[in-house]
Amino acid sequence: MIASAGYAEHAQNGLNRSQYTMPAGVDDPEAAIEHWSFSDPVYMWRLLNRPENPFEPAEYFYWPDAVIEGDERAFLPSTDHSALGRDTLAEMREWAKVRKSNALIVVHRGEVVLEDYWNEFTSSTLANGRAMTRSMAPLLLGFALRDGGVSLDDPIGLYIDQWRDDPRGSITVRQLAQNVSGLKLPERLPATQVLGNGFMCLTYCGDVNRAALEFPLADKPGHVFNVADQNMQILGMVIEKALGKPVEQILSERIWKPIGAADATFQRDRPGGKARIMCCMRATPRDWTRLGVLLLNDGTWNGREVVPADWIAEMAKPSQVNPNHGMGFWLGTPFDPLRTYYSGQPGVIPMSQPYLTDDVRIIEGGGFRVLYMSAEHDLVIFRHGVGVPDWDGAALVNMAVRGLQKSSNNEVSR
């Protein structure tokens, strides 16, 4: 009888939970396994086949791909005669190399002045951008505003059926895009805890949209800045509803093909499922750089408008809650020596000094993967690599600016 009895019957027979050591979140196994995550085969496969380093997984773990189809064309022209100067470029190369970089590309005035790879990376390697991916949803939002009838101040309950009558449906599109939604941050729990592990479910579950919609409100929308993973996933749902296409197709048709990029990928949550637009888009180093050049030029590529310039400018407006963050862009000013992703938590991006130019726009991800853009200096810098303890978020930009200043001073003195 005991072998076939349920938990409630065990309790009636005196076999209550005080006799067991129960794992966190599973006080009642019968109730726990009724949750959908326990019957999700994709979640179980990913949990059982977790990569040794979940932040740098092997190729197999990106399965299945949501392909962002490209139309690969020649990369940007290169030159050996750069205003940055050979010494500056050598300094930048060495600085990046010793800090475990995989790729470093520098573009000045539309020409490649430095392109280097390490650790078996090449120009065609699909490089995981990690949280750089979170700039894709705000970028695509511009098309939903222009062509899909969306307004920044719309409550997202207009687009998310599950939240139409939910208090969370009052979060605005703008608040999602600025990471001030008020949704609870995913708690980092052990991977072995299945039930209630919102972070693991966002990244491993076979229904990423459902996982994103399970987070409750923790703060009043519009008041607290947190780069919560689910914000961009839900924003992607709004964009798909407005434009009637999956995000990978929108990105392909509206941006990736027009700029001549090669195929890239999001990870799909399951075969035939949805793209994870909150993390881990993979594109070649050259195509991440192309994206930077497009944004530097206010959405124009080879004289053709690809993204509306007024939307690029809107993305770069600082929010009232965080002056270093807009919508999809981090902003280089005001100076913050230890910029944070989460209100009230330690900063994660160290900087030794302010940028030497006030107009730096940044797309960045974990491991200090970063795309810097300065229109004043017609400069784009892409660095891919892993995290290092002596990273300095200002270093590469300021080396380049100092090199340009030195070159300009030399010209004046002649």
Side-chain angles (χ1 to χ4, degrees):
M1 175 179 173
I2 290 178
S4 62
Y7 181 84
E9 191 171 345
H10 281 204
Q12 289 175 356
N13 289 327
L15 299 176
N16 58 50
R17 68 180 180 183
S18 64
Q19 297 177 258
Y20 302 95
T21 301
M22 304 298 289
V26 196
D27 287 347
D28 184 341
E30 266 186 311
I33 62 174
E34 290 177 2
H35 189 265
W36 61 268
S37 61
F38 275 87
S39 58
D40 179 345
V42 175
Y43 192 20
M44 294 305 162
W45 180 84
R46 288 188 172 130
L47 285 173
L48 291 171
N49 293 278
R50 294 192 307 277
E52 183 177 350
N53 182 348
F55 299 109
E56 309 293 343
E59 182 75 19
Y60 80 92
F61 205 73
Y62 293 104
W63 167 92
D65 285 336
V67 177
I68 304 157
E69 293 184 3
D71 180 17
E72 187 174 8
R73 296 192 290 276
F75 191 42
L76 300 163
S78 61
T79 180
D80 293 328
H81 304 287
S82 168
L84 276 78
R86 291 184 179 180
D87 289 347
T88 294
L89 294 175
E91 180 187 17
M92 295 175 71
R93 178 187 292 111
E94 184 62 20
W95 192 91
K97 178 181 177 181
V98 301
R99 285 165 179 80
K100 298 183 179 181
S101 296
N102 298 320
L104 178 65
I105 302 178
V106 181
V107 177
H108 182 235
R109 296 175 181 166
E111 294 181 314
V112 179
V113 298
L114 174 59
E115 181 175 9
D116 252 333
Y117 301 97
W118 302 273
N119 306 318
E120 300 183 355
F121 259 59
T122 70
S123 62
S124 58
T125 301
L126 285 179
N128 178 0
R130 290 179 59 174
M132 292 178 68
T133 312
R134 294 177 193 156
S135 294
M136 298 303 108
L139 183 57
L140 298 182
L141 178 58
F143 301 117
L145 297 175
R146 187 184 67 182
D147 305 327
V150 176
S151 167
L152 283 174
D153 295 315
D154 282 345
I156 61 174
L158 292 176
Y159 308 97
I160 308 295
D161 292 340
Q162 299 92 319
W163 285 3
R164 191 170 294 273
D165 299 315
D166 188 294
R168 294 170 293 180
S170 66
I171 298 167
T172 67
V173 174
R174 186 192 307 272
Q175 288 164 349
L176 267 185
Q178 291 182 337
N179 283 301
V180 293
S181 68
L183 292 171
K184 183 179 179 181
L185 277 173
E187 188 178 359
R188 300 300 177 100
L189 299 171
T192 51
Q193 180 176 331
V194 177
L195 186 66
N197 196 334
F199 175 76
M200 287 295 291
C201 207
L202 274 172
T203 54
Y204 283 14
C205 275
D207 190 338
V208 65
N209 286 352
R210 177 160 59 176
L213 293 175
E214 288 205 339
F215 287 87
L217 280 172
D219 299 289
K220 184 178 179 180
H223 287 72
V224 178
F225 175 81
N226 281 312
V227 183
D229 299 83
Q230 65 271 26
N231 288 341
M232 295 305 108
Q233 192 64 37
I234 297 171
L235 185 59
M237 295 172 67
V238 171
I239 294 165
E240 289 188 339
K241 183 69 174 287
L243 295 177
K245 294 181 180 180
V247 286
E248 65 270 25
Q249 185 178 348
I250 300 167
L251 180 55
S252 167
E253 295 172 354
R254 299 293 187 108
I255 296 176
W256 226 240
K257 287 182 178 179
I259 66 174
D263 287 359
T265 73
F266 293 118
Q267 185 195 46
R268 205 179 292 282
D269 57 4
R270 63 187 184 278
K274 295 292 186 179
R276 280 191 168 86
I277 196 171
M278 63 185 192
C279 182
C280 307
M281 173 178 161
R282 294 186 299 151
T284 69
R286 286 182 169 183
D287 289 342
W288 284 117
T289 306
R290 284 181 207 260
L291 179 64
V293 172
L294 173 73
L295 299 175
L296 178 81
N297 291 316
D298 294 326
T300 298
W301 187 266
N302 289 337
R304 173 192 170 189
E305 183 185 82
V306 175
V307 182
D310 58 351
W311 177 240
I312 302 295
E314 189 70 31
M315 290 173 64
K317 289 182 180 178
S319 74
Q320 292 182 342
V321 178
N322 186 346
N324 284 119
H325 192 273
M327 290 184 282
F329 282 135
W330 290 94
L331 307 173
T333 53
F335 173 58
D336 186 339
L338 202 57
R339 180 159 45 83
T340 186
Y341 278 32
Y342 311 108
S343 295
Q345 296 189 25
V348 294
I349 306 296
M351 289 180 53
S352 65
Q353 58 185 296
Y355 291 110
L356 297 178
T357 181
D358 290 334
D359 70 335
V360 178
R361 298 175 181 176
I362 307 160
I363 292 176
E364 68 188 13
F368 305 123
R369 288 143 219 240
V370 63
L371 187 59
Y372 299 108
M373 295 150 279
S374 168
E376 179 184 353
H377 296 282
D378 205 346
L379 179 70
V380 173
I381 301 172
F382 171 69
R383 182 266 182 183
H384 188 279
V386 298
V388 291
D390 60 342
W391 182 259
D392 183 346
L396 288 169
V397 172
N398 284 355
M399 287 179 205
V401 172
R402 280 193 292 266
L404 291 171
Q405 290 173 340
K406 181 179 179 181
S407 175
S408 177
N409 290 337
N410 288 341
E411 286 294 324
V412 170
S413 64
R414 286 177 184 173

